[in-house]
Amino acid sequence: MGCCGGEERVQREWRPLEQRSCTDIPWLILFTLFCIGMGLICGFAIATGAASRLVSGYDSYGNTCGQKNTAIEGIALSGRDQTNKKYVFFLDPCNIDLVNRKIKSMALCVSKCPDIQLDTYEDIKAFATVNEVNHVRFPVDCRNSLPMFHRCTPVDIFCYARFAEALITFLSDNSVLHRLVAGVMTSKEIIMGLCLLALVLSMILMVVIRYISAILVWILTAVVVIGSLGGTCGLWWLYVDHKKSLNDTMPVNELQVAKDNVSALLVYAIAATIFTVILLLLMLIMRKRVALTIALFHVAGKVFTHLPLLALQPFWTFLALICFWAYWVMVLLFLGTAGNPVQNNQTKLVEFRMSGPLQYMTWYHAVGLIWISEFILACQQMTVAGAVVTYYFTRDKSNLPLTPILTSVFRLVRYHLGTVAKGSFIITLVKIPRLILMYIHNQLKGKENAFARCMLKACICCLWCLEKCLNYLNQNAYTATAINSTNFCTSARDAFVILVENALRVAAINTVGDFVLFLGKILIVSCTAFVGVLSLNYQRDYTVWVVPLLIVCLFAFLVAHCFLSIFEIVVDVLFLCFAIDTKNNDGSPGREFYMDKALMVSTHAHFYPLKS
């Protein structure tokens, strides 16, 4: 399972799509065992009654409502038959402990929730008689309630005031809140239509971006060059102007300040000049590599025309994540009511707590959230990489599989789940310490000294940078695995060597390419917002546009980010395929290139091999 074992090879012999074998089997076994452990935690919570306690609720003596119960040692009123009492009734439902996320009130199992306000002693006595409750503690605050999720939920909005306290304080005027909510409800059709527009624009942009990428790149280049030259000239002009304004007749203090300003402007002007010269030299050196970026965008657009189902990958990934997160939250809620019944010494009420080794199940469950989420995202990357690799290394595109995406999914499930499990575990190992440090920083906010705060932020930043680098390396390792069917460590090493050999091209693609994609996101958000303003202009009965526009713009940005992230993955996969292609082929008979003609023209690869 290590990364250092195995026989060293001087040079990798790339054989795209020729041989296929299972990779990282021990890690697949480990991941399977881990998932079984997650399932056992769920089974434990259900077997110990946590699921039924969560769904049906329980009273303050450990009795689950709606079923027969066994007696709890030391609890006098436990072990009751509550078959006919299916609702949990809180005597003081408005006494909410926000810190511990629970209601600080005695809870009873009742057959019917009170549908009237119980103001007098006679009302409370009649309610207790009907529900066969003879152990009510007074005073009580019995409010009109409705049955919801087997709980008697108060109708009086006063009980929810503490939850809305921050919102009400922020708004300071209920009429504003009412107008905003009413406006959103009035414009819901427009909001849904604009969200659909953002979705359509994102899908269109993925196809047409190959035609506008060149324009965007050269506009970006012109803006950077003009901006750097203009800034440098402006600093030199300010330096000369301030130097001419120096006068020995000025007061001593003002003269010293003026001289300091002149010195500072000279330093800034020299630094800006050096930066501009370096920038212009880099652009001169990397102009052909920028052309490669444009060509890769052009080919990526072709990929989406041949493999349109790639555009649906964000939907399937999002659906898988939502399903897993829903399961994870459900089990977490089960664990919140699991454990052994313990009587609280202060309130004398029963609470369920896990003790001993069982309390570590929550930590195991939390690690599972990160690892399996990363696993799902890695499966998306491997699926996209497999489909693009198949497209690139198929000379005759008419011989592509009927559904390259499904073929890639089959290869992933059949051969490479272990590789995905290992790559996602490495990301998990970095993400967990970062999240722990973020939690500590949150808890100590305002208590730690400046040095400790600086160290915590530095560690969090370093771990975040490491995580981003590993994510990029993992993605290229998955591509190498999809090409050559090698295990994770071998693929990561081979991909890293290829990336180092093409460092300048990688820099060009990651800077220019990312900025072009960012402009694409801004374009989608701007177009959606513009159409939104025009549409809401006809909604005369609604004057506050801020909330609908914010909702639409946020959704548009998220949709554009999801779709263009897939586009970015496709570009990165194409680049690694291109680098491997030019490294192992030279265009001679028997060693023809696999690449698209657009890539050949942009890099002159048919004349000489790729070198950085």
Side-chain angles (χ1 to χ4, degrees), residues 259-271:
K259 289 182 177 179
D260 291 342
N261 288 337
V262 170
S263 300
L265 284 171
L266 178 61
V267 172
Y268 295 153
I270 294 174

Side-chain angles (χ1 to χ4, degrees), residues 477-492:
Y478 298 147
T479 303
T481 297
I483 295 173
N484 229 24
S485 193
T486 49
N487 61 45
F488 178 82
C489 289
T490 303
S491 298

